[in-house]
Structure formats: structure tokens, C-alpha cells
Amino acid sequence: MNPSCRILALDGGGIRGVIPAYLLAVLEAQLGRPIYQCFDVIAGTSTGGLISLALTTPRKSGAPMTAVDALNLYLQDGTKIFVKQGTLNFGIFEALYSGAAVESWMQQQFPPAMTLSRARAELTALGARLGVPVPRQVLTTTYTVRSADPAVGVGPYLFNWEKAATNPADDYQVWEAARSTSAAPVYFPMAHVGSLAHPGSTGADRWAVDGGMVANNPALFALAWAVRNRQVHGLDGISVLSLGTGMYDPPLNPDDSDFGAGNWGVHRWGLDELIATQFPIVNVLTTANIQAPDAQLRLLLPDGAYKRLEPRLPASLEPMDTTKTGPLLQAAAEYVWPFPPPPGVTVPSTPTQPGPGYPLLQGVIQSWQQSGLR
């Protein structure tokens, strides 16, 4: 059956966005068309939100970035994204990385004054000219912690095309949505977006933090939108492709306690040392925030309607802020081998055996080719 609504959901994970960007680049190469022509709803959180916006926001050329373009942002610009706030800053009293630097970088990735509603209108017009489909909805997640606008509440918020097209207070500039969805606590300062912070914006005043605080896996938000807006006449008409940034087992040892196995207080759950490199409670919560929607969707959707691609990673590849992207690129290539690297992408070394993600991605491609692409 040809699905009436195809959904793409992209997890958060910082620099590990290399992985979903690579998988999407392989998908583009195999299908022979850009990602924006393949899905009805595209949702992203944090680094996945950045990718979602990049793949659906027209540039000066008239077309959005390709998946290879998005991949190259991570491979080439890591040092521009993660700019330390001082040489002796360990994230204890202030965020590790500069908010001004990452905002400047994001503003360079999207056309000046490009709003969510304008991105929607321009991509829709491009689709009409080319005679190809475009998404009906693009959304990114965030969590609002404060606002000077009494109409803005504390809690989850979705930057999205639908609201942006009908309400100026929701029509943020694209870079503001990217900045807000990826404002990871400790790593970056909170994002302050809207007209009070940026004169060119029409959006409501909003202090926001990373969407991973709400839904590190945004697939359920995307599904909820599709159902509420009657994009489907039942769950049988849904197809969801969910891409992760690499799953790893948090390095927790219950025996690491002076008071009995598993008897942990604030010290063990919060900071292992004065200058911490691991935050066990954060690792558990962010991992659960990915696994819970995955488990729920597997229970909710019919067999074959939900596909989840995510490689297992060693704990050494867990950091979200490394600028050494080669191992992540290698992990992504090995996961879907023998699909070859997309044109223009060179992996550190050629994989030697089929990866566990190969049959999953092959199944996605074959089902689409058999049923027709939108």
C-alpha cells in the first residue's frame, strides 16, 4: 500500500548529527531525489532540527541544501560551532561554548531574514515549478523556560511551518528555530529569540533550551501533527522513518558507591568529580527520551510502518561536542555498508562486511520504489 503520509524524524545528538546526515545522503543517492521531495512531514530535535531546517529552507540558489551539504556542515565547521568561552571554562559556572559564535554561524547557513513562513512559501513554489511534492509540515522542538510575553507559556514548543504561516508571533527566522532547538544546557547558553532580542524578528519573546529536554526523538510529535491535521485516515496510512545519532550504553557502574551497590545520591548521579566529564542522570534521561518514543511507536503502528535506523556506538564516540568527526563518519558508513558512500563523500576506510543497517535501509528503499514516491 502506498502510504498517505510519510514522516521523517531526526534525533538530537550534537556533532553525532554526522550519522543521520550520512544516512540521508545515502538515501538521496539511492532514490535520485532530494530529501524534501520524499516526505510529507519532517521533524527534528537539536542537531536533527538543524538538519531538518537545512534540508527544507531554500537558499539563494533557490533549492535547499542536499544531505551531503548538511553532512559537510559537521565535517567542516565543527570548530566554528564549538567555540570555547575562555580557556579555563569547564562548564561549571557558564556554558562551555559561545552562544554568539554559534548564532553567527547559523545566520550564515540561511538567507538573511528567511522566516519559517517564507521558507514554506518558497519551497512550495519551487515544488510547483518543478512538478514535485514538498513537505506539508516541518517542525523542530524546543522547551521555553521564560518569556516577557504573557501569551507564551513555559513548556514544550514547536517551531513549525503551519503556525508560522498564520501567526506572526510564531513566524521566527529559521536560524532562531535552529538556535533554540539546539541550545543544549551546559554546552550552549539558552537561546533568546523573538522581536525583543532581535529587531528583525516578528516572533514572540522566548528564552528556550534544547528540544532534547522535551523529545530527543521527535517522531511522536510528527505523528501527532499528522493525525490531528487529518493527513491520514488511520494509522495504516502512516510510514515513519526515524534516524538516530548513535546509541551507546551509558557507562554506569552500580558498584561505584561507598554505601552499597546502586545506593547513589547527588554526588554519583550529578557530578562524578568536581570537574565532570560524565553526568549519569543526564545520560540516563536523554537516552530514555529517545528509547521511550521508539518503544511506543513500535507498539502503536502496524508492522512495517515504522523504521528506526541507529548504529550502536562505543562509549568513546558518545561526546556531542568533538570536532574529530572521522570515527563518526566511519561508523555511519559501516552501519549501512555495502551501500557506497554518496558522491562527494570520502570515508576514512572501506568497510569490510555488511552492516546491520543495510537490510533496514534497503527495505525502506525497496518499499518506496514498489509503492511509488509520493
Side-chain angles (χ1 to χ4, degrees):
M1 182 180 71
N2 187 14
S4 58
C5 184
R6 285 195 170 103
I7 294 173
L8 172 66
L10 305 175
D11 286 9
I15 199 67
R16 300 201 313 269
V18 165
I19 292 171
Y22 182 89
L23 299 180
L24 290 173
V26 172
L27 188 60
E28 279 190 343
Q30 294 298 314
L31 295 176
R33 61 173 62 194
I35 292 300
Y36 76 83
Q37 295 180 18
C38 301
F39 296 93
D40 300 288
V41 181
I42 299 179
T45 287
S46 195
T47 197
L50 174 60
I51 296 171
S52 298
L53 294 167
L55 298 181
T56 57
T57 301
R59 298 176 296 171
K60 292 181 180 179
S61 64
M65 293 185 193
T66 66
V68 170
D69 293 331
L71 175 61
N72 283 331
L73 295 180
Y74 295 93
L75 300 183
Q76 299 173 5
D77 289 0
T79 57
K80 299 177 183 178
I81 298 170
F82 299 107
V83 178
K84 271 292 190 93
Q85 293 196 112
T87 56
L88 296 179
N89 176 14
F90 298 101
I92 302 297
F93 300 108
E94 62 178 337
L96 285 166
Y97 300 107
S98 167
V102 76
E103 285 185 11
S104 176
W105 177 82
M106 288 181 173
Q107 289 166 0
Q108 295 171 34
Q109 308 314 312
F110 303 103
M114 175 64 76
T115 63
L116 295 169
S117 68
R118 180 180 159 194
R120 181 195 194 194
E122 291 191 7
L123 192 61
T124 300
L126 175 64
R129 289 196 303 271
L130 298 178
V132 298
V134 300
R136 304 169 200 170
Q137 172 71 304
V138 174
L139 61 88
T140 60
T141 63
T142 195
Y143 187 90
T144 302
V145 297
R146 185 178 179 184
S147 174
D149 187 339
V152 175
V154 171
Y157 177 74
L158 301 180
F159 295 92
N160 71 93
W161 277 6
E162 180 188 38
K163 286 187 176 180
T166 58
N167 185 4
D170 292 303
D171 194 16
Y172 292 87
Q173 294 186 22
V174 174
W175 77 263
E176 292 181 290
R179 173 72 175 91
S180 298
T181 193
S182 59
V186 178
Y187 292 95
F188 292 104
M190 299 178 191
H192 189 195
V193 298
S195 58
L196 290 184
H198 307 285
S201 175
T202 66
D205 181 66
R206 193 177 300 274
W207 285 91
V209 296
D210 195 290
M213 303 298 100
V214 178
N216 217 17
N217 175 347
L220 275 177
F221 270 119
L223 176 62
W225 183 89
V227 172
R228 181 179 69 84
N229 286 272
R230 300 183 180 179
Q231 300 298 312
V232 291
H233 299 293
L235 295 180
D236 287 339
I238 289 280
S239 174
V240 178
L241 177 61
S242 177
L243 303 184
T245 60
M247 182 58 65
Y248 64 97
D249 293 324
L252 305 183
N253 181 4
D255 292 327
D256 189 11
S257 172
D258 296 328
F259 304 96
N263 190 9
W264 283 15
V266 170
H267 175 65
R268 289 301 181 192
W269 278 114
L271 298 175
D272 282 339
E273 303 292 343
L274 177 62
I275 301 175
T277 58
Q278 296 289 337
F279 299 84
I281 190 65
V282 174
N283 286 336
V284 170
L285 291 175
T286 55
T287 301
N289 207 352
I290 293 171
Q291 293 173 323
D294 176 56
Q296 291 161 343
L297 285 166
R298 292 183 191 277
L299 290 172
L300 181 65
L301 294 179
D303 290 344
Y306 174 70
K307 302 291 186 183
R308 171 79 175 172
L309 276 72
E310 181 170 45
R312 300 292 302 185
L313 298 179
S316 62
L317 295 185
E318 177 269 336
M320 297 189 296
D321 56 345
T322 180
T323 56
K324 297 178 181 179
T325 54
L328 291 169
L329 184 62
Q330 184 68 32
E334 291 177 354
Y335 180 63
V336 293
W337 185 260
F339 281 117
V345 178
T346 302
V347 299
S349 61
T350 302
T352 58
Q353 57 187 3
Y358 174 76
L360 296 173
L361 187 57
Q362 186 181 45
V364 170
I365 294 169
Q366 289 178 344
S367 66
W368 285 6
Q369 290 172 336
Q370 293 168 1
S371 61
L373 280 170
R374 296 180 62 200

